Amino acid sequence: MNSKFLGTGVALVTPFKMDLSVDHEALANIVNFNIENGTDYLVISGTTGESVTITKQEKKDIVATISEANNGRVPMVLGIGGNNTAAIIEEITTTNLSHMDAILSVAPYYSKPTQEGLYQHFKAISEASPIDVILYNVPGRTSKNMEPSTTIRLANDFKNIVAVKEAGNNVAQYLRLIKDKPDDFLVISGDDDLALGVVLAGGAGVISVIGQAFPKTFSAMIRLGLEGKAQEAYDLHFKLMDVIGYIFEENNPAGIKAVFEALNLCKDTVRLPLVPASSQLKAKVARFVSDFR
């Protein structure tokens, strides 16, 4: 089993200044804050990083900032995905992946391919990638569910497809994946609210949004779950349960950026078509952060 991706990974935000340029100082601070407080690995340029509104040059600069701040301390995963298979392969083959431990590739959105189309898409990505591949199934954003049979087929057929980030908020689908997966394949939760239950059922951990704001508590919860210490782990889950709900009330990453603003780690700025969290949501988040112990 690939132990690099056991435990808590975080889907890093991309902090912006008020002029909407990337705030590299805040980004480096967030990376250090996470590593120093127990985060096991970093995921760069995913949905939470607002990847669809980041330019190619900005992505390179973001990777450089995170790599420098990390300085080899924890594994790194780079988001490279979309609904144009040829363009994804071109990005994989033209990107310096020497500092990366895997790519995270989202199922094609908007196009709504068949299960065979999903299989062929990820087959092409696997064959093009010089490093490990983590599949990312998030039907709420892609409008197409990658069924467990397709995920398991890919896991069995391609050695470098090592994990799936499953984010369908579907407990039955998680359990099917855990039951049927190859022994060395990782099922990683992409749902913060379900992550502990997934781990206790045999999942490998989480790629979390809220974890990057409360890394000490969240990573301790997942670690306890991996050790089978359910009651102790749930005690920590209940401490975070309200804020996990808050950050997804309006949109991601506006919610998590509201938390970071309350923590004085970055501004709550997002790029259109997203807008910052409402004043009502910010007030709830600020109260939670102020009261959290």
Side-chain angles (χ1 to χ4, degrees):
M1 185 174 286
N2 197 328
S3 60
K4 288 181 180 179
F5 310 120
L6 287 174
T8 300
V10 293
L12 289 167
V13 300
T14 300
F16 298 124
K17 299 177 183 178
M18 293 304 294
D19 65 0
L20 296 181
S21 63
V22 176
D23 188 339
H24 288 275
E25 182 180 357
L27 180 58
N29 289 338
I30 289 168
V31 168
N32 283 313
F33 173 67
N34 271 269
I35 297 172
E36 290 165 5
N37 285 284
T39 294
D40 295 300
Y41 61 99
L42 307 172
V43 180
I44 306 163
S45 195
T47 305
T48 305
E50 295 175 71
S51 56
V52 294
T53 58
I54 298 292
T55 68
K56 290 181 179 179
Q57 186 57 53
E58 284 174 331
K59 187 172 182 177
K60 289 181 182 179
D61 295 341
I62 288 164
V63 168
T65 294
I66 294 170
S67 297
E68 182 178 0
N70 179 30
N71 194 27
R73 288 179 288 175
V74 299
M76 296 191 299
V77 177
L78 182 62
I80 303 180
N83 64 345
N84 181 341
T85 309
I88 297 166
I89 290 170
E90 181 182 7
E91 184 174 354
I92 289 170
T93 56
T94 58
T95 298
N96 178 7
L97 298 171
S98 61
H99 297 302
M100 295 296 155
D101 294 272
I103 63 170
L104 176 71
S105 199
V106 68
Y109 42 78
Y110 189 77
S111 302
K112 299 178 73 173
T114 64
Q115 295 301 308
E116 183 62 25
L118 290 168
Y119 177 87
Q120 294 297 333
H121 171 82
F122 283 118
K123 175 179 184 287
I125 288 171
S126 168
E127 291 173 345
S129 178
I131 59 175
D132 287 341
V133 176
I134 300 173
L135 310 174
Y136 181 17
N137 183 42
V138 57
R141 289 186 178 275
T142 65
S143 297
K144 187 72 177 185
N145 182 41
M146 185 160 65
E147 296 173 3
S149 57
T150 302
T151 301
I152 300 304
R153 183 184 171 198
L154 288 161
N156 282 317
D157 289 355
F158 301 100
K159 185 177 180 182
N160 67 337
I161 295 181
V162 299
V164 61
K165 177 187 177 184
E166 178 67 28
N169 216 254
N170 183 329
V171 172
Q173 184 149 307
Y174 275 116
L175 295 178
R176 175 61 60 186
L177 286 164
I178 292 168
K179 174 183 175 293
D180 293 344
K181 72 179 185 68
D183 288 343
D184 58 351
F185 186 76
L186 307 181
V187 176
I188 299 169
S189 176
D191 298 301
D192 284 345
D193 56 343
L194 300 182
L196 178 55
V198 170
V199 167
L200 289 168
V206 63
I207 294 175
S208 174
V209 177
I210 196 62
Q212 66 194 299
F214 301 97
K216 186 173 290 187
T217 303
F218 199 91
S219 63
M221 177 191 78
I222 296 298
R223 206 168 294 118
L224 287 166
L226 288 168
E227 293 169 359
K229 298 176 180 177
Q231 189 56 62
E232 293 172 65
Y234 269 113
D235 287 344
L236 298 180
H237 172 83
F238 293 139
K239 288 182 67 174
L240 292 170
M241 193 165 74
D242 287 345
V243 78
I244 290 171
Y246 294 161
I247 65 167
F248 296 108
E249 274 187 17
E250 295 179 357
N251 69 63
N252 180 44
I256 186 63
K257 283 189 171 180
V259 178
F260 271 138
E261 184 175 68
L263 291 167
N264 294 314
L265 280 167
C266 76
K267 298 187 182 301
D268 70 339
T269 317
V270 291
R271 286 179 176 173
L272 288 170
L274 302 182
V275 294
S278 66
S279 57
Q280 294 91 339
L281 180 55
K282 285 185 189 179
K284 287 197 293 187
V285 162
R287 280 195 300 272
F288 182 92
V289 169
S290 177
D291 294 342
F292 185 78
R293 297 289 182 271

